[in-house]
Amino acid sequence: RVNFRHWVDTDSDGCTTRYEVLIDEAVDAPKVGERCRLTGGRWFSYYDGAYWTNPDDLDIDHMVPLKEAWRSGADQWDARRRQDYANDLGQDASLVAVTDNVNQAKGDKDPANWLPSDEVCRYVSEWTATKLRWSLSADTAEIDALRRVSKDCKTRVEFTPAPWV
C-alpha cells in the first residue's frame, strides 16, 4: 500500500477519491458539507446486499487490490501511474463502496481465493474489466476461477483502457 498514493483530491474540489466514490455510489445522495463531510445519504454494498446510512461503515474497495496489482505488473509502473490506479475514477468498476468488514475479509485475495456472497457475476466481470483496463496479468488459479464462475454468467466485460501518463 505504501507504493500507491491513494485517497487524493485529484480535481481539487475538497473531496478525496474516497468521498468522490461515496458521493457517486449513493443510492440516496448525501449532503456534502465543509471539507467534504457527508451527512444523510444511503449506500448499497453489492458484495453482501447490505444497505448503510453511515459512510464510516463502508470501505472503498480497490476491485483489484493494491497488493494484487503490484504482483500483476504495477511493480513496473512509476509512482504517478500507481497513484492514478489507486484513485481511478475513470471506470466505475475500479473502486467500489462496500461493507467494511466484507472488504477486510477480501483483503488482497483474487477470485481464486475470495468471492462476494452476492452478485458474483458482476464481481468477476468488474474484476476482469479492471485487470484489462490496467493491463495487469492474471495467474493460472485466478484465470481458472474466473472461467469457472463466469461460465453461467450473462454479464459482459466492458472497459476503457487506462490513460498512460
Side-chain angles (χ1 to χ4, degrees), residues 64 68-70 72-74 77 85 130-132 134-138:
V64 174
E68 171 65 18
W70 184 264
S72 302
W77 298 345
Y85 176 81
T130 303
K131 284 271 184 145
L132 291 170
W134 290 93
S135 298
L136 294 169
S137 66

Side-chain angles (χ1 to χ4, degrees), residues 4-51:
F4 293 82
R5 186 170 174 237
H6 54 288
W7 308 155
V8 298
D9 181 5
T10 56
D11 61 4
S12 302
D13 69 352
C15 294
T16 67
T17 304
R18 172 184 164 68
Y19 293 100
E20 298 282 3
V21 173
L22 287 168
I23 292 165
D24 185 57
E25 291 193 5
V27 174
D28 297 321
K31 291 183 180 158
V32 182
E34 191 173 322
R35 296 185 185 195
C36 207
R37 184 168 184 271
L38 304 182
T39 55
R42 189 168 66 114
W43 293 266
F44 177 71
S45 168
Y46 90 79
Y47 288 7
D48 58 345
Y51 283 92

